[in-house]
Amino acid sequence: MNLETINTHLQEIEVLLNSMGTDVKQNVLEYAIERVSYILHNEIANNPDFIKAFSDRLKTISDTIQQKRLFAKMLHTDDATAHRIANSWDGVVKLPEYNLRAVPNAIPVVMASDNNFVPFLSVMLQSILDNANPNRIYHFYILQRGIAERSISIMQAQVNKFPNCKIEFIDVTNIFKTIPIRQIAGIWSLDTYSRLLLPYMFAEYPKVIYLDVDMLCQTDIANLYDIDLQGKPLGAVYDSIIKYHFDNNNTNYIYNNSATVLLGLKDWRQFNGGLEVFDTLRFREMISLDKLIRFTIWFTHRAEWFWVDQCVLNLLLKENWFHLPKGWNANEWNLIGNNIVNNDTDYYLNNWQSMEILHFNSQLKPWNSNMCYDICNHYRKYASNVQLYIERFPHHQYNLVTTREDMIWHYFPKNSVGMEIGVFMGEFAEYLCNTLEPKMLYLVDPFEPSELTSGDKDGTNFITVHNLREYFIKKIIPKFKYKSNVKLISDYSFNVLPLIENKSLDWVYIDGDHSYQGCLKDLLLARQKVKHNGIIAGHDYCRQFGVMQAVDEFCERFNLQIEIATLDGMPSFLIRNV
């Protein structure tokens, strides 16, 4: 095959790729890949002249194919089908009714929740109330889906303590039942799109603030309302996770997870939808309700993966939005939840107390995780004064001590009978023995003849023991050999604990099987063996393992609560066995 023939083949491939546009046809793409592979493997590979002549073009074609492949993953339907579905809608939107009339100079704050998120809604609401200016007027509107009447009454009483504040609950359950918006199954409720309607629902207000409930407000929300949006229809803050991947040119992430590329949005650093300030008039002048809904229908059927209304608004507004200071939506929590360490996360961790609104926008939340322990404890300590949160998480009302050594020194009884489950190299067992001078200390570990790696109390300084059985024989047995008050037991805790007399132990410290099932089994057995008012404690009360879930469920089942938690990197917990 000569240069002219190869050139003809490459032109054919380039025309095919360009002809696909935004509707990627898989069979055409595969044909192009096949032709490129044929030229590379059969003609060019062994011919330096051909490689020199066509290497740049082949690289461009290869990059285009990769881009088209990624793009194809984003598509749910072709453009014509998506438009047909959008045009089939009858144009009827029944906006929900609400009774609270707009008051001049009132600040409308909207949040949305179902019954499951009520405790966190109540915490966020309280944080706004506590920071509110008594000389300003605040109107809260809750877009609700099935919130229990009792919870509504409690939140109404919560707000009524502040004479300058009002609250109303607006049922949005049925708004989208007749509108063919495609829902991403199992991730977001269809009712999430009700946030799109705020400029139309609250047209009597010049501005309206929307806030997610997984937030904590640390300043007066009136300061946000007073910011001049400079003629823009919406004010918001960059989404930290998308900004990070854009700034680091992570094309794979952008194509697979951000459908904004569908409309060629050049700056993929889209704003986060957890906090939005609408200029209601300007927004309605730019985008009619009919256009908004039809675009949403088209987009959700066109794209395979998207962040619901956040993507819709970013695509419609593109860069026509006001960039609020990042402190108003400190959503770097998402970066931390994705284990991304960079300048943004460092700044967040060092300055979170001065940020206006903390946004816990990842699957790890301060109520189900000890990630960034000082922030989690700040949230829990604050939330422990909110009734609906206390009712859901009664075991989160605990005192804090600095380290687990402090916890042992101040709270564990001396001259007692105790057990450590999970001994590893025996260093903490030595501390227990020397500090508490126990009558009897049972040290339980299978000491299996296999490799085991473990960190210290902070989850750092990892040490690997290549054969724990050998280490047990050579190092641990000699360490405790002459201590008559220490009994080493080489076995699993679920075999040992049933042999211990009920209510005979003063305390148990659990640091063995970190899985949910394993930890829960240890907790249940320990409850039988520990005396009334004795101590059930343990290590690694954090989301990385199954320990947190097991401890929380254990407390809920037996109406117990964590009395003490530590500020170590991998926290310990203490429960009183009442």
Side-chain angles (χ1 to χ4, degrees):
M1 188 182 294
N2 57 35
L3 291 176
E4 185 178 345
T5 305
I6 291 177
N7 182 59
T8 301
H9 280 292
L10 292 180
Q11 285 180 340
E12 175 195 357
I13 294 166
E14 289 164 343
V15 169
L16 281 171
L17 291 173
N18 290 332
S19 69
M20 283 191 280
T22 58
D23 280 320
V24 179
K25 297 177 176 61
Q26 196 64 33
N27 60 331
V28 176
L29 190 59
E30 295 303 324
Y31 174 75
I33 294 168
E34 180 186 334
R35 296 304 300 158
V36 169
S37 299
Y38 175 80
I39 294 170
L40 280 172
H41 294 297
N42 294 292
E43 300 296 338
I44 292 182
N46 298 314
N47 192 322
D49 291 336
F50 285 4
I51 293 174
K52 185 178 180 181
F54 296 111
S55 60
D56 290 343
R57 283 177 70 189
L58 282 166
K59 184 181 185 307
T60 301
I61 289 172
S62 177
D63 290 346
T64 303
I65 288 173
Q66 174 65 9
Q67 201 174 70
K68 295 287 185 183
R69 272 178 159 169
L70 290 170
F71 193 81
K73 293 180 182 179
M74 298 170 53
L75 302 179
H76 182 70
T77 60
D78 59 84
D79 187 53
T81 300
H83 275 298
R84 184 169 63 253
I85 296 170
N87 292 332
S88 70
W89 173 53
D90 62 10
V92 176
V93 182
K94 188 177 180 182
L95 295 177
E97 297 178 359
Y98 58 96
N99 301 319
L100 219 136
R101 300 180 66 84
V103 173
N105 301 317
I107 300 168
V109 180
V110 181
M111 290 179 278
S113 179
D114 59 13
N115 203 50
N116 185 52
F117 275 82
V118 157
F120 322 120
L121 163 63
S122 192
V123 171
M124 178 54 174
L125 183 62
Q126 189 64 49
S127 70
I128 299 172
L129 291 168
D130 288 345
N131 289 288
N133 182 343
N135 297 317
R136 301 291 293 270
I137 301 170
Y138 304 82
H139 281 182
F140 298 100
Y141 299 90
I142 310 303
L143 307 182
Q144 66 100 0
R145 305 175 300 282
I147 295 180
E149 287 297 327
R150 177 179 178 274
S151 296
I152 289 176
S153 297
I154 289 172
M155 281 185 281
Q156 286 172 333
Q158 182 181 356
V159 173
N160 289 341
K161 293 177 182 178
F162 298 79
N164 58 325
C165 300
K166 301 290 183 183
I167 189 170
E168 179 167 351
F169 292 81
I170 304 171
D171 190 344
V172 295
T173 307
N174 298 317
I175 295 177
F176 296 102
K177 279 194 172 180
T178 60
I179 302 175
I181 294 173
R182 186 174 76 89
Q183 180 182 2
I184 302 177
I187 301 179
W188 290 285
S189 164
L190 190 63
D191 299 315
T192 302
Y193 292 97
S194 59
R195 295 181 292 196
L196 294 172
L197 305 177
L198 300 191
Y200 313 95
M201 290 174 60
F202 299 95
E204 62 268 42
Y205 291 103
K207 289 182 185 174
V208 60
I209 296 172
Y210 170 80
L211 300 168
D212 275 353
V213 299
D214 55 348
M215 288 178 157
L216 194 69
C217 185
Q218 303 192 121
T219 191
D220 183 7
I221 202 71
N223 296 331
L224 173 63
Y225 189 80
D226 292 342
I227 292 176
D228 182 3
L229 300 183
Q230 298 180 13
K232 301 292 186 181
L234 179 143
V237 175
Y238 272 134
D239 189 299
S240 63
I241 195 81
I242 300 174
K243 180 180 182 295
Y244 168 82
H245 286 289
F246 174 83
D247 290 345
N248 288 275
N249 199 29
N250 188 346
T251 308
N252 255 0
Y253 177 89
I254 294 166
Y255 270 88
N256 284 318
N257 295 288
S258 178
T260 53
V261 76
L262 269 174
L263 289 189
L265 191 62
K266 292 180 181 179
D267 189 346
W268 294 322
R269 291 176 292 187
Q270 59 182 261
F271 62 77
N272 179 270
L275 178 144
E276 295 163 342
V277 183
F278 291 93
D279 179 323
T280 56
L281 177 60
R282 180 73 179 129
F283 191 94
R284 294 195 314 276
E285 287 176 344
M286 282 189 59
I287 305 169
S288 69
L289 181 56
D290 184 85
K291 176 183 176 180
L292 177 67
I293 299 299
R294 290 195 193 278
F295 180 87
T296 305
I297 297 168
W298 169 83
F299 174 71
T300 58
H301 286 275
R302 181 77 170 115
E304 181 59 38
W305 177 259
F306 46 86
W307 285 291
V308 286
D309 55 300
Q310 176 173 313
C311 269
V312 169
L313 288 176
N314 272 279
L315 286 170
L316 283 170
L317 297 176
K318 298 203 174 176
E319 276 298 294
N320 190 21
W321 56 279
F322 182 79
H323 296 204
L324 291 167
K326 64 182 295 182
W328 282 109
N329 184 356
N331 60 88
E332 281 79 4
W333 190 268
N334 205 335
L335 290 172
I336 296 167
N338 284 273
N339 296 313
I340 295 170
V341 179
N342 67 350
N343 291 335
D344 286 335
T345 53
D346 286 343
Y347 182 81
Y348 175 79
L349 292 173
N350 291 326
N351 297 278
W352 63 269
Q353 289 173 307
S354 64
M355 293 178 179
E356 288 83 358
I357 293 180
L358 303 179
H359 187 185
F360 307 106
N361 60 326
S362 77
Q363 291 182 340
L364 300 176
K365 307 289 187 183
W367 54 86
N368 68 13
S369 165
N370 279 325
M371 182 179 70
C372 308
Y373 203 63
D374 53 345
I375 301 177
C376 288
N377 279 303
H378 171 69
Y379 182 91
R380 291 182 186 178
K381 186 176 180 181
Y382 188 91
S384 66
N385 296 311
V386 178
Q387 180 179 345
L388 290 171
Y389 185 91
I390 295 170
E391 291 178 359
R392 176 75 66 85
F393 300 103
H395 48 281
H396 280 184
Q397 301 174 72
Y398 45 70
N399 297 315
L400 298 171
V401 297
T402 306
T403 67
R404 67 177 181 177
E405 287 81 7
D406 292 334
M407 182 179 78
I408 299 300
W409 175 262
H410 291 289
Y411 293 93
F412 276 50
K414 294 178 173 58
N415 193 31
S416 55
V417 179
M419 177 184 290
E420 182 188 25
I421 297 172
V423 179
F424 191 47
M425 297 173 68
E427 293 175 345
F428 190 57
E430 265 193 303
Y431 178 83
L432 292 169
C433 190
N434 295 336
T435 303
L436 299 178
E437 300 176 347
K439 289 180 185 176
M440 179 56 66
L441 173 60
Y442 297 100
L443 301 178
V444 180
D445 195 303
F447 296 110
E448 293 180 322
S450 58
E451 183 174 286
L452 184 63
T453 299
S454 181
D456 59 14
K457 64 186 180 184
D458 293 312
T460 56
N461 302 314
F462 287 93
I463 297 176
T464 297
V465 175
H466 296 291
N467 187 321
L468 192 57
R469 166 64 63 178
E470 186 178 310
Y471 188 90
F472 168 64
I473 295 169
K474 292 182 178 180
K475 299 289 186 179
I476 296 178
I477 290 178
K479 187 179 291 188
F480 296 100
K481 184 176 181 180
Y482 299 106
K483 294 184 182 291
S484 60
N485 62 338
V486 176
K487 185 172 183 179
L488 285 164
I489 304 174
S490 178
D491 201 346
Y492 291 98
S493 55
F494 55 77
N495 291 328
V496 176
L497 279 167
L499 303 177
I500 301 292
E501 183 182 348
N502 284 353
K503 306 301 179 186
S504 64
L505 300 177
D506 293 296
W507 57 266
V508 169
Y509 186 86
I510 300 169
D511 194 13
D513 186 345
H514 283 40
S515 70
Y516 161 72
Q517 293 290 350
C519 183
L520 184 60
K521 185 182 292 186
D522 282 342
L523 289 164
L524 293 172
L525 288 169
R527 178 164 168 77
Q528 299 174 26
K529 307 304 173 181
V530 172
K531 296 175 182 176
H532 178 74
N533 213 37
I535 292 170
I536 300 172
H539 195 216
D540 297 311
Y541 179 69
C542 47
R543 185 74 172 180
Q544 288 93 318
F545 311 105
V547 176
M548 175 172 277
Q549 181 184 357
V551 170
D552 286 355
E553 288 188 15
F554 174 73
C555 289
E556 189 171 350
R557 184 184 303 185
F558 296 105
N559 195 28
L560 302 170
Q561 71 177 58
I562 296 173
E563 182 178 313
I564 305 293
T566 70
L567 293 170
D568 304 316
M570 306 300 282
S572 291
F573 64 90
L574 183 153
I575 300 167
R576 195 71 61 178
N577 192 28
V578 295

